[in-house]
Amino acid sequence: MAKILVIEDEVSLQLLLEFDLKSYNYEVELCADGKKGLEKLKNEYYDLAIIDWMLPSLSGYDIIAEIRKTNEDLKIIMLTAKDGEMDIVKGLEIGADDYLTKPFSSRELNARMKVLLKTKDSNIISFSNIVIDKAKRQVKRDDENIDLSKLEFDLLLYFYDNKDIVVSREMIYEKLWNQDEDIDLRVIDTHVSSIKKKLKIKDNIVSKRGVGYLFTI
Protein backbone atom coordinates (compact mmCIF):
# COMPACT_ATOMS: atom_id res chain seq x y z
CA MET A 1 0.00 0.00 0.00
CA ALA A 2 1.53 3.31 -1.10
CA LYS A 3 1.89 5.97 1.59
CA ILE A 4 0.73 9.45 0.54
CA LEU A 5 1.20 12.83 2.21
CA VAL A 6 -1.29 15.56 1.26
CA ILE A 7 -0.10 19.10 2.07
CA GLU A 8 -3.17 21.26 1.50
CA ASP A 9 -4.65 24.01 3.70
CA GLU A 10 -8.16 24.10 2.22
CA VAL A 11 -10.08 21.89 4.66
CA SER A 12 -12.86 20.84 2.27
CA LEU A 13 -10.36 19.76 -0.41
CA GLN A 14 -8.17 18.10 2.22
CA LEU A 15 -11.03 15.93 3.46
CA LEU A 16 -12.19 15.15 -0.07
CA LEU A 17 -8.70 14.01 -1.06
CA GLU A 18 -8.44 11.88 2.08
CA PHE A 19 -11.76 10.17 1.31
CA ASP A 20 -10.97 9.60 -2.37
CA LEU A 21 -7.42 8.34 -1.84
CA LYS A 22 -8.46 5.93 0.89
CA SER A 23 -11.15 4.59 -1.43
CA TYR A 24 -8.33 3.82 -3.88
CA ASN A 25 -6.53 1.92 -1.09
CA TYR A 26 -3.79 4.42 -0.37
CA GLU A 27 -2.47 5.14 3.13
CA VAL A 28 -3.06 8.87 3.60
CA GLU A 29 -1.71 11.53 5.95
CA LEU A 30 -2.82 15.16 5.94
CA CYS A 31 -0.98 18.39 6.70
CA ALA A 32 -2.21 21.97 6.34
CA ASP A 33 1.01 23.88 6.99
CA GLY A 34 3.99 24.24 4.67
CA LYS A 35 6.77 24.05 7.27
CA LYS A 36 5.17 21.12 9.09
CA GLY A 37 4.67 19.36 5.77
CA LEU A 38 8.35 19.76 4.91
CA GLU A 39 9.36 18.34 8.29
CA LYS A 40 7.17 15.30 7.69
CA LEU A 41 8.78 14.73 4.31
CA LYS A 42 12.24 15.01 5.85
CA ASN A 43 11.61 12.72 8.80
CA GLU A 44 9.15 10.10 7.51
CA TYR A 45 8.90 7.87 4.45
CA TYR A 46 6.27 8.57 1.78
CA ASP A 47 5.86 7.14 -1.70
CA LEU A 48 4.19 10.25 -3.06
CA ALA A 49 3.34 13.78 -1.92
CA ILE A 50 0.49 15.96 -3.16
CA ILE A 51 1.51 19.56 -2.49
CA ASP A 52 -0.54 22.72 -2.93
CA TRP A 53 1.23 25.70 -4.46
CA MET A 54 -0.06 28.27 -1.93
CA LEU A 55 0.35 27.26 1.74
CA PRO A 56 0.73 28.92 5.14
CA SER A 57 4.32 29.49 6.37
CA LEU A 58 6.04 27.92 3.34
CA SER A 59 4.96 27.68 -0.30
CA GLY A 60 4.67 24.44 -2.22
CA TYR A 61 7.42 25.71 -4.49
CA ASP A 62 9.79 26.14 -1.53
CA ILE A 63 8.85 22.73 -0.08
CA ILE A 64 9.70 21.00 -3.36
CA ALA A 65 12.94 22.95 -3.79
CA GLU A 66 14.07 22.01 -0.27
CA ILE A 67 13.08 18.34 -0.28
CA ARG A 68 14.75 17.76 -3.65
CA LYS A 69 18.10 18.60 -2.04
CA THR A 70 17.99 15.29 -0.16
CA ASN A 71 15.24 13.17 -1.72
CA GLU A 72 15.12 12.48 -5.46
CA ASP A 73 12.95 9.37 -5.16
CA LEU A 74 9.79 10.93 -3.72
CA LYS A 75 7.08 11.34 -6.34
CA ILE A 76 5.44 14.78 -6.22
CA ILE A 77 2.20 16.11 -7.71
CA MET A 78 1.74 19.86 -7.44
CA LEU A 79 -1.76 21.31 -7.02
CA THR A 80 -2.26 24.82 -8.28
CA ALA A 81 -5.02 27.32 -8.95
CA LYS A 82 -2.55 28.98 -11.28
CA ASP A 83 -2.85 27.95 -14.91
CA GLY A 84 -0.16 30.20 -16.34
CA GLU A 85 2.42 28.31 -18.35
CA MET A 86 5.37 29.88 -16.53
CA ASP A 87 4.03 28.91 -13.10
CA ILE A 88 3.62 25.31 -14.20
CA VAL A 89 7.04 25.21 -15.84
CA LYS A 90 8.59 26.71 -12.70
CA GLY A 91 7.06 23.98 -10.55
CA LEU A 92 8.18 21.17 -12.85
CA GLU A 93 11.69 22.58 -13.18
CA ILE A 94 12.15 22.78 -9.42
CA GLY A 95 11.32 19.10 -9.05
CA ALA A 96 7.59 18.32 -9.25
CA ASP A 97 6.86 15.19 -11.30
CA ASP A 98 3.39 16.29 -12.37
CA TYR A 99 0.74 18.93 -11.68
CA LEU A 100 -3.02 19.36 -11.55
CA THR A 101 -4.88 22.62 -11.92
CA LYS A 102 -7.85 23.09 -9.58
CA PRO A 103 -10.58 21.98 -9.91
CA PHE A 104 -9.77 18.39 -10.93
CA SER A 105 -11.44 14.99 -10.71
CA SER A 106 -10.35 12.25 -8.32
CA ARG A 107 -10.20 9.83 -11.25
CA GLU A 108 -7.67 12.01 -13.06
CA LEU A 109 -5.60 12.37 -9.89
CA ASN A 110 -5.63 8.61 -9.31
CA ALA A 111 -4.62 7.94 -12.91
CA ARG A 112 -1.66 10.31 -12.64
CA MET A 113 -0.64 8.81 -9.29
CA LYS A 114 -0.70 5.30 -10.74
CA VAL A 115 1.64 6.33 -13.54
CA LEU A 116 4.11 7.91 -11.12
CA LEU A 117 4.01 5.06 -8.63
CA LYS A 118 4.61 2.51 -11.38
CA THR A 119 7.87 4.25 -12.19
CA LYS A 120 9.13 4.08 -8.60
CA ASP A 121 12.14 1.91 -8.05
CA SER A 122 10.88 -1.66 -7.79
CA ASN A 123 13.80 -2.34 -5.45
CA ILE A 124 12.18 -0.23 -2.73
CA ILE A 125 9.86 -1.95 -0.24
CA SER A 126 8.11 -0.14 2.59
CA PHE A 127 5.78 -1.11 5.40
CA SER A 128 4.94 0.66 8.65
CA ASN A 129 8.05 2.76 9.34
CA ILE A 130 10.44 0.33 7.61
CA VAL A 131 12.04 0.94 4.21
CA ILE A 132 14.00 -1.83 2.46
CA ASP A 133 16.29 -1.10 -0.49
CA LYS A 134 16.91 -4.45 -2.17
CA ALA A 135 19.54 -3.10 -4.57
CA LYS A 136 21.62 -1.47 -1.82
CA ARG A 137 20.76 -4.24 0.69
CA GLN A 138 19.89 -1.50 3.13
CA VAL A 139 17.17 -1.30 5.77
CA LYS A 140 15.96 1.85 7.50
CA ARG A 141 13.63 2.32 10.43
CA ASP A 142 12.30 5.86 10.91
CA ASP A 143 14.98 6.94 8.39
CA GLU A 144 17.76 5.41 10.54
CA ASN A 145 20.03 2.76 9.00
CA ILE A 146 19.67 -0.62 10.70
CA ASP A 147 22.58 -3.04 10.48
CA LEU A 148 21.42 -6.52 9.46
CA SER A 149 23.65 -9.46 8.65
CA LYS A 150 23.43 -10.98 5.16
CA LEU A 151 21.30 -13.84 6.48
CA GLU A 152 19.03 -11.52 8.45
CA PHE A 153 18.48 -9.34 5.38
CA ASP A 154 17.70 -12.36 3.19
CA LEU A 155 15.35 -13.73 5.84
CA LEU A 156 13.51 -10.41 6.09
CA LEU A 157 13.00 -10.37 2.30
CA TYR A 158 11.81 -13.97 2.39
CA PHE A 159 9.22 -13.08 5.02
CA TYR A 160 8.07 -10.08 3.00
CA ASP A 161 7.78 -12.11 -0.22
CA ASN A 162 5.68 -14.65 1.67
CA LYS A 163 3.60 -12.25 3.75
CA ASP A 164 0.28 -13.56 5.08
CA ILE A 165 1.53 -17.13 4.56
CA VAL A 166 2.75 -19.38 7.37
CA VAL A 167 6.27 -20.56 6.50
CA SER A 168 7.93 -23.47 8.28
CA ARG A 169 11.49 -23.59 9.52
CA GLU A 170 12.11 -26.31 6.93
CA MET A 171 10.97 -23.97 4.15
CA ILE A 172 13.26 -21.21 5.43
CA TYR A 173 16.18 -23.63 5.67
CA GLU A 174 15.68 -24.89 2.10
CA LYS A 175 15.50 -21.36 0.75
CA LEU A 176 18.32 -19.63 2.64
CA TRP A 177 20.81 -22.26 3.75
CA ASN A 178 23.27 -24.36 1.80
CA GLN A 179 21.64 -27.77 1.61
CA ASP A 180 24.96 -29.40 2.43
CA GLU A 181 25.03 -27.49 5.69
CA ASP A 182 23.51 -29.47 8.54
CA ILE A 183 22.07 -27.06 11.12
CA ASP A 184 19.84 -27.17 14.16
CA LEU A 185 16.64 -25.51 12.88
CA ARG A 186 16.36 -23.66 16.17
CA VAL A 187 19.12 -21.37 14.92
CA ILE A 188 16.47 -19.88 12.62
CA ASP A 189 14.59 -18.75 15.71
CA THR A 190 17.70 -16.86 16.82
CA HIS A 191 17.87 -14.97 13.52
CA VAL A 192 14.16 -14.19 13.63
CA SER A 193 14.46 -12.85 17.18
CA SER A 194 17.37 -10.64 16.09
CA ILE A 195 15.38 -9.16 13.20
CA LYS A 196 12.38 -8.48 15.44
CA LYS A 197 14.58 -6.79 18.04
CA LYS A 198 16.62 -4.66 15.61
CA LEU A 199 13.61 -3.46 13.61
CA LYS A 200 11.12 -3.46 16.50
CA ILE A 201 8.60 -5.48 14.47
CA LYS A 202 7.63 -8.14 17.00
CA ASP A 203 3.96 -7.72 16.02
CA ASN A 204 4.74 -8.28 12.33
CA ILE A 205 6.39 -11.68 12.76
CA VAL A 206 4.31 -14.11 14.81
CA SER A 207 5.44 -17.59 15.83
CA LYS A 208 2.99 -20.37 15.08
CA ARG A 209 3.77 -23.10 17.60
CA GLY A 210 4.84 -26.33 15.95
CA VAL A 211 4.44 -24.86 12.45
CA GLY A 212 6.64 -21.83 11.74
CA TYR A 213 6.18 -18.09 11.29
CA LEU A 214 3.56 -15.71 9.92
CA PHE A 215 4.65 -12.31 8.61
CA THR A 216 2.02 -9.57 8.20
CA ILE A 217 2.13 -5.85 7.45
mmCIF file of all heavy atoms in Angstrom, residues 65-85:
data_model
loop_
_atom_site.group_PDB
_atom_site.id
_atom_site.type_symbol
_atom_site.label_atom_id
_atom_site.label_comp_id
_atom_site.label_asym_id
_atom_site.label_seq_id
_atom_site.Cartn_x
_atom_site.Cartn_y
_atom_site.Cartn_z
ATOM 1 N N ALA A 65 11.529 22.570 -3.603
ATOM 2 C CA ALA A 65 12.943 22.951 -3.790
ATOM 3 C C ALA A 65 13.799 22.403 -2.660
ATOM 4 O O ALA A 65 14.907 21.904 -2.884
ATOM 5 C CB ALA A 65 13.065 24.469 -3.864
ATOM 6 N N GLU A 66 13.294 22.453 -1.430
ATOM 7 C CA GLU A 66 14.068 22.010 -0.272
ATOM 8 C C GLU A 66 14.161 20.493 -0.206
ATOM 9 O O GLU A 66 15.241 19.943 0.031
ATOM 10 C CB GLU A 66 13.436 22.553 1.017
ATOM 11 C CG GLU A 66 14.203 22.229 2.281
ATOM 12 C CD GLU A 66 15.578 22.861 2.332
ATOM 13 O OE1 GLU A 66 15.786 23.910 1.669
ATOM 14 O OE2 GLU A 66 16.456 22.300 3.023
ATOM 15 N N ILE A 67 13.060 19.799 -0.425
ATOM 16 C CA ILE A 67 13.083 18.336 -0.278
ATOM 17 C C ILE A 67 13.899 17.680 -1.388
ATOM 18 O O ILE A 67 14.496 16.622 -1.193
ATOM 19 C CB ILE A 67 11.650 17.750 -0.226
ATOM 20 C CG1 ILE A 67 11.660 16.342 0.395
ATOM 21 C CG2 ILE A 67 11.015 17.710 -1.608
ATOM 22 C CD1 ILE A 67 12.149 16.293 1.818
ATOM 23 N N ARG A 68 13.962 18.326 -2.544
ATOM 24 C CA ARG A 68 14.746 17.758 -3.648
ATOM 25 C C ARG A 68 16.250 17.819 -3.389
ATOM 26 O O ARG A 68 17.024 17.146 -4.068
ATOM 27 C CB ARG A 68 14.402 18.468 -4.964
ATOM 28 C CG ARG A 68 13.095 18.024 -5.588
ATOM 29 C CD ARG A 68 13.104 16.543 -5.872
ATOM 30 N NE ARG A 68 11.941 16.098 -6.626
ATOM 31 C CZ ARG A 68 11.240 15.009 -6.353
ATOM 32 N NH1 ARG A 68 11.585 14.259 -5.312
ATOM 33 N NH2 ARG A 68 10.217 14.648 -7.091
ATOM 34 N N LYS A 69 16.670 18.565 -2.390
ATOM 35 C CA LYS A 69 18.097 18.601 -2.043
ATOM 36 C C LYS A 69 18.551 17.270 -1.461
ATOM 37 O O LYS A 69 19.723 16.905 -1.569
ATOM 38 C CB LYS A 69 18.372 19.721 -1.041
ATOM 39 C CG LYS A 69 18.177 21.125 -1.593
ATOM 40 C CD LYS A 69 18.423 22.160 -0.504
ATOM 41 C CE LYS A 69 18.200 23.581 -1.021
ATOM 42 N NZ LYS A 69 18.396 24.588 0.051
ATOM 43 N N THR A 70 17.621 16.541 -0.841
ATOM 44 C CA THR A 70 17.991 15.293 -0.162
ATOM 45 C C THR A 70 17.184 14.081 -0.623
ATOM 46 O O THR A 70 17.546 12.950 -0.299
ATOM 47 C CB THR A 70 17.798 15.446 1.355
ATOM 48 O OG1 THR A 70 16.441 15.831 1.631
ATOM 49 C CG2 THR A 70 18.736 16.512 1.912
ATOM 50 N N ASN A 71 16.107 14.296 -1.348
ATOM 51 C CA ASN A 71 15.243 13.171 -1.722
ATOM 52 C C ASN A 71 14.824 13.291 -3.187
ATOM 53 O O ASN A 71 13.954 14.081 -3.533
ATOM 54 C CB ASN A 71 14.005 13.141 -0.819
ATOM 55 C CG ASN A 71 13.168 11.877 -0.991
ATOM 56 O OD1 ASN A 71 13.220 11.217 -2.022
ATOM 57 N ND2 ASN A 71 12.390 11.548 0.015
ATOM 58 N N GLU A 72 15.448 12.479 -4.033
ATOM 59 C CA GLU A 72 15.122 12.484 -5.458
ATOM 60 C C GLU A 72 14.085 11.418 -5.798
ATOM 61 O O GLU A 72 13.520 11.418 -6.895
ATOM 62 C CB GLU A 72 16.390 12.240 -6.286
ATOM 63 C CG GLU A 72 17.379 13.396 -6.273
ATOM 64 C CD GLU A 72 16.842 14.627 -6.972
ATOM 65 O OE1 GLU A 72 16.033 14.481 -7.902
ATOM 66 O OE2 GLU A 72 17.217 15.744 -6.578
ATOM 67 N N ASP A 73 13.829 10.499 -4.858
ATOM 68 C CA ASP A 73 12.949 9.367 -5.155
ATOM 69 C C ASP A 73 11.480 9.669 -4.919
ATOM 70 O O ASP A 73 10.609 9.034 -5.518
ATOM 71 C CB ASP A 73 13.339 8.151 -4.303
ATOM 72 C CG ASP A 73 14.739 7.653 -4.632
ATOM 73 O OD1 ASP A 73 15.118 7.712 -5.812
ATOM 74 O OD2 ASP A 73 15.443 7.216 -3.714
ATOM 75 N N LEU A 74 11.177 10.596 -4.030
ATOM 76 C CA LEU A 74 9.792 10.929 -3.722
ATOM 77 C C LEU A 74 9.074 11.424 -4.974
ATOM 78 O O LEU A 74 9.566 12.300 -5.683
ATOM 79 C CB LEU A 74 9.750 12.019 -2.646
ATOM 80 C CG LEU A 74 8.372 12.553 -2.282
ATOM 81 C CD1 LEU A 74 7.563 11.509 -1.519
ATOM 82 C CD2 LEU A 74 8.498 13.842 -1.458
ATOM 83 N N LYS A 75 7.892 10.866 -5.237
ATOM 84 C CA LYS A 75 7.077 11.345 -6.344
ATOM 85 C C LYS A 75 6.207 12.497 -5.858
ATOM 86 O O LYS A 75 5.612 12.422 -4.775
ATOM 87 C CB LYS A 75 6.198 10.216 -6.889
ATOM 88 C CG LYS A 75 6.994 9.059 -7.484
ATOM 89 C CD LYS A 75 7.886 9.521 -8.620
ATOM 90 C CE LYS A 75 8.682 8.368 -9.219
ATOM 91 N NZ LYS A 75 9.582 8.813 -10.295
ATOM 92 N N ILE A 76 6.141 13.567 -6.644
ATOM 93 C CA ILE A 76 5.441 14.784 -6.218
ATOM 94 C C ILE A 76 4.459 15.249 -7.287
ATOM 95 O O ILE A 76 4.821 15.403 -8.457
ATOM 96 C CB ILE A 76 6.440 15.924 -5.928
ATOM 97 C CG1 ILE A 76 7.372 15.535 -4.771
ATOM 98 C CG2 ILE A 76 5.699 17.222 -5.598
ATOM 99 C CD1 ILE A 76 8.474 16.558 -4.509
ATOM 100 N N ILE A 77 3.210 15.472 -6.858
ATOM 101 C CA ILE A 77 2.204 16.108 -7.710
ATOM 102 C C ILE A 77 1.883 17.470 -7.100
ATOM 103 O O ILE A 77 1.544 17.555 -5.920
ATOM 104 C CB ILE A 77 0.924 15.266 -7.814
ATOM 105 C CG1 ILE A 77 1.220 13.939 -8.511
ATOM 106 C CG2 ILE A 77 -0.165 16.038 -8.577
ATOM 107 C CD1 ILE A 77 0.017 13.023 -8.648
ATOM 108 N N MET A 78 2.008 18.499 -7.889
ATOM 109 C CA MET A 78 1.735 19.859 -7.437
ATOM 110 C C MET A 78 0.289 20.230 -7.774
ATOM 111 O O MET A 78 -0.183 19.984 -8.889
ATOM 112 C CB MET A 78 2.711 20.807 -8.149
ATOM 113 C CG MET A 78 2.523 22.276 -7.860
ATOM 114 S SD MET A 78 3.769 23.256 -8.764
ATOM 115 C CE MET A 78 3.312 22.890 -10.477
ATOM 116 N N LEU A 79 -0.404 20.800 -6.790
ATOM 117 C CA LEU A 79 -1.755 21.311 -7.023
ATOM 118 C C LEU A 79 -1.678 22.826 -7.128
ATOM 119 O O LEU A 79 -1.029 23.473 -6.306
ATOM 120 C CB LEU A 79 -2.691 20.932 -5.867
ATOM 121 C CG LEU A 79 -2.870 19.453 -5.558
ATOM 122 C CD1 LEU A 79 -3.886 19.284 -4.437
ATOM 123 C CD2 LEU A 79 -3.310 18.686 -6.795
ATOM 124 N N THR A 80 -2.337 23.377 -8.110
ATOM 125 C CA THR A 80 -2.262 24.819 -8.284
ATOM 126 C C THR A 80 -3.553 25.391 -8.853
ATOM 127 O O THR A 80 -4.218 24.757 -9.677
ATOM 128 C CB THR A 80 -1.084 25.194 -9.207
ATOM 129 O OG1 THR A 80 -1.077 26.604 -9.427
ATOM 130 C CG2 THR A 80 -1.182 24.482 -10.546
ATOM 131 N N ALA A 81 -3.903 26.572 -8.372
ATOM 132 C CA ALA A 81 -5.017 27.319 -8.955
ATOM 133 C C ALA A 81 -4.492 28.160 -10.106
ATOM 134 O O ALA A 81 -5.246 28.710 -10.895
ATOM 135 C CB ALA A 81 -5.664 28.205 -7.897
ATOM 136 N N LYS A 82 -3.176 28.226 -10.208
ATOM 137 C CA LYS A 82 -2.546 28.982 -11.285
ATOM 138 C C LYS A 82 -2.537 28.126 -12.549
ATOM 139 O O LYS A 82 -2.213 26.955 -12.502
ATOM 140 C CB LYS A 82 -1.101 29.342 -10.915
ATOM 141 C CG LYS A 82 -0.958 30.169 -9.648
ATOM 142 C CD LYS A 82 0.517 30.282 -9.268
ATOM 143 C CE LYS A 82 0.728 31.131 -8.029
ATOM 144 N NZ LYS A 82 0.549 32.553 -8.296
ATOM 145 N N ASP A 83 -2.891 28.712 -13.662
ATOM 146 C CA ASP A 83 -2.846 27.955 -14.912
ATOM 147 C C ASP A 83 -1.918 28.595 -15.936
ATOM 148 O O ASP A 83 -1.907 28.241 -17.105
ATOM 149 C CB ASP A 83 -4.248 27.772 -15.507
ATOM 150 C CG ASP A 83 -4.953 29.102 -15.758
ATOM 151 O OD1 ASP A 83 -4.331 30.156 -15.525
ATOM 152 O OD2 ASP A 83 -6.116 29.071 -16.185
ATOM 153 N N GLY A 84 -1.122 29.580 -15.440
ATOM 154 C CA GLY A 84 -0.163 30.205 -16.338
ATOM 155 C C GLY A 84 0.960 29.244 -16.672
ATOM 156 O O GLY A 84 1.440 28.505 -15.812
ATOM 157 N N GLU A 85 1.390 29.239 -17.905
ATOM 158 C CA GLU A 85 2.423 28.307 -18.355
ATOM 159 C C GLU A 85 3.699 28.446 -17.555
ATOM 160 O O GLU A 85 4.318 27.451 -17.175
ATOM 161 C CB GLU A 85 2.713 28.524 -19.838
ATOM 162 C CG GLU A 85 3.751 27.571 -20.397
ATOM 163 C CD GLU A 85 4.032 27.812 -21.868
ATOM 164 O OE1 GLU A 85 3.297 28.610 -22.477
ATOM 165 O OE2 GLU A 85 4.982 27.215 -22.394
#
